[in-house]
Amino acid sequence: MDEILLNIESKELRYAHLRNGQLYNLIVERKRERQLAGNIYKGSVTNILHNIQSAFIDINEGENGFIHISDILENTKKFEQVYDMDFDLDYDIKGLDDKQQKKQDIEEVMKIDQPVLVQVVKEPIGSKGARLTSNISLAGRYLVLLPNSSHRGVSRKIEDRNARERLKKLIRAFEMPTDMGLICRTASARATPEMLIAEATDLLSTWHTIMENFHKSSGPSLLYAESDLIKRAVITAVDKRFERILVDDYAVYQSCKNLYSRYASEHALRIEYYRDNVPMFERFNVEREIDKTLRRKIWLPSGGYLFFDRTEAMYTIDVNSGRSSNNKVDVEESLVRINLEAADEIARQLRLRNIGGLVICDFIDMRYRKNQRRVLDRLKECMKEDSAKCTILGMSEFGLVEMTRQRNRESLIQTIFTTCPYCSGRGLVKTHESVSIEIERALKKAIAHNQQFALKLVVHPELDHYLASIDKRFLLKIAEGLNARLEFDVNDNLHLNEFHFYSTITDKKVEV
């Protein structure tokens, strides 16, 4: 059973996809950080970088967007990335893409302050602005309109040969400008010709409106906003034949019902308003799953566990046997079982955490290559349903699997957390012993170098408790040996590792 839970708060919208009661996918969207991917803007070129054949474009969304020459020239791969499709075009233009890029220069197609029509293909992440393209594409439920390309084709995800041929003939027969193209999406296999014609007409009308607004607007502005998360949830539930959508906000519930009314004949979807006093995400154990997802350590059913660590370059996932009860008769099979469980959970956690970029999975070492293949095949199978593009390489002799996952928005951790102001993201604090040693050095410097002979040491109460056992007597002895007087005080507003010396004569802080 598949169902979607929509939790609506004043500043946040959370989408949870449950499969047989277990959290399968999660999207957390903050209203102050609305999704930009798919949006179309009138932008202004602010800077051209000739050495990397790129430009920065002001789209009036905070950080300037970034565009490369490959995003300006026609490039099939960009369409595939945006709409998660594998195109079957009438002819292959990928080789032509490369030839065009070698011939063209960024300064031939863009000038400073030039107004440009661009679309966001990758969300801004951290301090990086949005990735842009001038290869505009307008996506409907069944079709994708390519206003700047004449290609017409069908998604390879439609495997039925007869359906593919029927759709190819249909879109070639559409009365459209010859310089525009159409791609049939997976859902078009179930659509009637009338439905496809109606959507193609709507997309053309939207495109004409975009172009009118482009010419009317005087500066960088939003011309077209992609569907919001609510609409995407309804369409996803219809396309994938989910059983139910449960919403805990009445206004959004009504909006979902209105959206669904257009597709009611295609699939019997239940849209329900959640009325219970117990918060919906607590009732369905989603809060607990989110809390687990934010942890570094994830336990597996067998007793093994995963460790998730992030570095500047990649994510690493370490698989450990933990407290699993290994079968003494067949240790190898026990380790394979843990690795298979890990493969399932890794695929799930990558979706929930929305981890993108390079990922290294360190599975438990297995003796036989056939077992390594079993684990690798399980991982690939589990990643097939991921909406983000994934590439998985083979398993090395050390049990390492390298993979990449498309980064389409900020990860869950980036959305919810910020860098710790104390440790600057290291996640570590110094031991009390380390701070005590620093205090000893600072005390000697304050007396000998700064010529301060009446001092007060102020520390955090926990550090003061540690110093009281041995170190206070030792510090007093040092001060006495240097003909100085030392007092102690506490301040619970200080960081654990923070300490300050003050002159008891002037009450001023002593810089050491």
Side-chain angles (χ1 to χ4, degrees):
M1 176 180 176
D2 287 284
E3 56 187 339
I4 292 173
L5 310 184
L6 292 176
N7 168 231
I8 315 299
E9 304 293 351
S10 62
K11 296 181 179 180
E12 183 179 74
L13 192 159
R14 295 190 295 180
Y15 163 112
H17 169 197
L18 270 58
R19 176 165 291 178
N20 299 322
Q22 184 186 41
L23 183 60
Y24 183 79
N25 201 1
L26 176 73
I27 300 174
V28 177
E29 198 171 87
R30 298 279 165 87
K31 292 187 178 177
R32 63 178 174 81
E33 297 172 350
R34 59 192 173 85
Q35 176 178 303
L36 302 184
N39 289 359
I40 299 175
Y41 294 85
K42 179 175 184 176
S44 175
V45 180
T46 59
N47 192 15
I48 294 176
L49 308 176
H50 180 77
N51 56 336
I52 57 172
Q53 290 291 289
S54 303
F56 285 103
I57 297 176
D58 177 15
I59 57 172
N60 198 26
E61 292 284 2
E63 293 288 337
N64 288 339
F66 175 83
I67 194 167
H68 185 261
I69 186 70
S70 63
D71 300 300
I72 300 171
L73 302 173
E74 188 174 331
N75 193 327
T76 313
K77 293 178 184 177
K78 295 294 181 288
F79 295 137
E80 294 175 350
Q81 290 170 2
V82 174
Y83 294 108
D84 186 30
M85 288 191 289
D86 190 11
F87 293 150
D88 180 20
L89 298 170
D90 294 339
Y91 56 94
D92 183 18
I93 64 166
K94 294 185 181 180
L96 182 62
D97 290 341
D98 295 335
K99 289 178 183 177
Q100 284 182 325
Q101 289 173 35
K102 287 176 183 175
K103 291 179 181 177
Q104 284 279 15
D105 186 280
I106 186 77
E107 293 183 338
E108 293 177 9
V109 289
M110 284 196 167
K111 308 294 180 187
I112 298 294
D113 295 328
Q114 174 187 340
V116 288
L117 185 67
V118 290
Q119 185 172 34
V120 176
V121 291
K122 188 179 286 187
E123 295 285 341
I125 297 176
S127 59
K128 295 180 180 178
R131 180 76 181 254
L132 308 175
T133 181
S134 59
N135 290 302
I136 307 299
S137 52
L138 282 175
R141 182 160 171 243
Y142 309 116
L143 302 170
V144 177
L145 176 68
L146 308 178
N148 304 327
S149 170
S150 59
H151 307 306
R152 301 193 185 190
V154 179
S155 168
R156 285 202 180 102
K157 289 186 178 180
I158 300 175
E159 296 177 355
D160 187 322
R161 183 176 295 178
N162 293 330
R164 292 170 62 81
E165 290 303 318
R166 176 179 63 83
L167 290 168
K168 282 183 180 179
K169 289 178 182 176
L170 190 62
I171 60 173
R172 285 176 184 145
F174 279 177
E175 293 183 4
M176 286 178 54
T178 55
D179 58 345
M180 290 190 181
L182 274 178
I183 298 294
C184 289
R185 306 186 75 173
T186 312
S188 63
R190 297 189 296 269
T192 63
E194 292 76 18
M195 293 162 71
L196 295 177
I197 291 169
E199 183 166 277
T201 304
D202 287 345
L203 291 173
L204 273 171
S205 175
T206 302
W207 173 246
H208 291 318
T209 303
I210 289 170
M211 290 309 296
E212 285 176 14
N213 293 334
F214 176 81
H215 293 300
K216 287 179 184 176
S217 57
S218 57
S221 57
L222 174 65
L223 303 177
Y224 169 83
E226 187 54 272
S227 302
D228 62 16
L229 187 56
I230 305 297
K231 184 176 181 180
R232 296 201 307 273
V234 173
I235 292 175
T236 298
V238 173
D239 285 345
K240 297 191 175 181
R241 301 294 194 259
F242 288 1
E243 280 76 10
R244 171 172 78 160
I245 294 179
L246 195 57
V247 191
D248 64 1
D249 181 88
Y250 191 74
V252 175
Y253 160 72
Q254 292 287 6
S255 176
C256 287
K257 292 196 74 173
N258 291 335
L259 286 168
Y260 172 64
S261 62
R262 298 175 58 185
Y263 315 114
S265 61
E266 298 180 41
H267 172 59
L269 174 69
R270 287 157 39 215
I271 300 179
E272 300 175 3
Y273 174 52
Y274 183 79
R275 293 179 170 84
D276 204 328
N277 290 328
V278 178
M280 181 173 65
F281 271 36
E282 283 188 25
R283 173 78 177 272
F284 290 89
N285 292 322
V286 176
E287 291 289 6
R288 188 169 63 184
E289 286 294 318
I290 293 174
D291 183 57
K292 284 170 58 180
T293 297
L294 296 173
R295 296 176 194 166
R296 181 176 172 233
K297 188 177 186 178
I298 297 289
W299 287 99
L300 300 173
S302 64
Y305 59 87
L306 307 176
F307 262 133
F308 286 78
D309 285 303
R310 180 189 176 196
T311 69
E312 192 67 26
M314 69 186 77
Y315 264 92
T316 61
I317 305 172
D318 187 28
V319 184
N320 295 279
S321 57
R323 57 185 180 218
S324 60
S325 54
N326 288 331
N327 185 347
K328 295 181 180 178
V329 179
D330 193 345
V331 176
E332 175 83 359
E333 187 58 33
S334 297
L335 297 179
V336 171
R337 181 165 51 85
I338 296 169
N339 281 335
L340 291 172
E341 281 184 1
D344 293 338
E345 190 62 26
I346 285 170
R348 177 170 172 265
Q349 289 294 327
L350 289 177
R351 286 194 305 272
L352 299 183
R353 296 169 187 245
N354 193 36
I355 291 173
L358 179 61
V359 180
I360 305 293
C361 304
D362 182 10
F363 289 96
I364 302 170
D365 290 345
M366 294 166 287
R367 186 179 302 174
Y368 303 115
R369 291 295 300 175
K370 65 176 184 179
N371 290 331
Q372 294 179 358
R373 283 195 296 271
R374 284 171 62 191
V375 173
L376 187 63
D377 290 344
R378 173 70 72 87
L379 180 63
K380 288 180 177 179
E381 187 66 30
C382 293
M383 295 298 295
K384 275 184 180 178
E385 293 189 25
D386 198 323
S387 60
K389 292 278 186 182
C390 301
T391 303
I392 303 174
L393 303 183
M395 184 179 289
S396 74
E397 293 180 9
F398 302 111
L400 298 177
V401 175
E402 295 177 60
M403 61 185 294
T404 58
R405 184 175 183 273
Q406 182 186 359
R407 184 184 284 112
N408 48 23
R409 64 180 188 277
E410 287 191 332
S411 68
L412 183 64
I413 287 177
Q414 286 175 311
T415 300
I416 294 177
F417 295 104
T418 188
T419 304
C420 171
Y422 293 125
C423 68
S424 301
R426 288 177 296 171
L428 298 168
V429 293
K430 294 175 183 175
T431 64
H432 291 328
E433 183 181 28
S434 298
V435 181
S436 176
I437 293 168
E438 290 182 6
I439 289 172
E440 180 185 341
R441 291 197 192 101
L443 175 62
K444 292 175 180 176
K445 181 180 177 182
I447 298 170
H449 181 71
N450 294 18
Q451 298 292 297
Q452 296 287 338
F453 297 97
L455 295 166
K456 178 171 67 175
L457 173 64
V458 183
V459 297
H460 188 277
E462 282 192 31
L463 180 57
D464 182 74
H465 179 71
Y466 172 83
L467 295 174
S469 58
I470 300 174
D471 294 345
K472 279 188 178 181
R473 292 193 298 273
F474 179 67
L475 294 171
L476 286 168
K477 191 175 180 181
I478 290 175
E480 187 181 331
L482 294 170
N483 299 317
R485 187 177 72 253
L486 179 63
E487 299 175 7
F488 298 92
D489 199 0
V490 296
N491 181 351
D492 57 9
N493 289 324
L494 294 180
H495 182 266
L496 274 170
N497 291 164
E498 195 175 359
F499 63 89
H500 299 294
F501 283 105
Y502 291 89
S503 168
T504 58
I505 300 171
T506 63
D507 280 337
K508 290 184 178 178
K509 184 178 174 182
V510 178
E511 299 294 339
V512 290

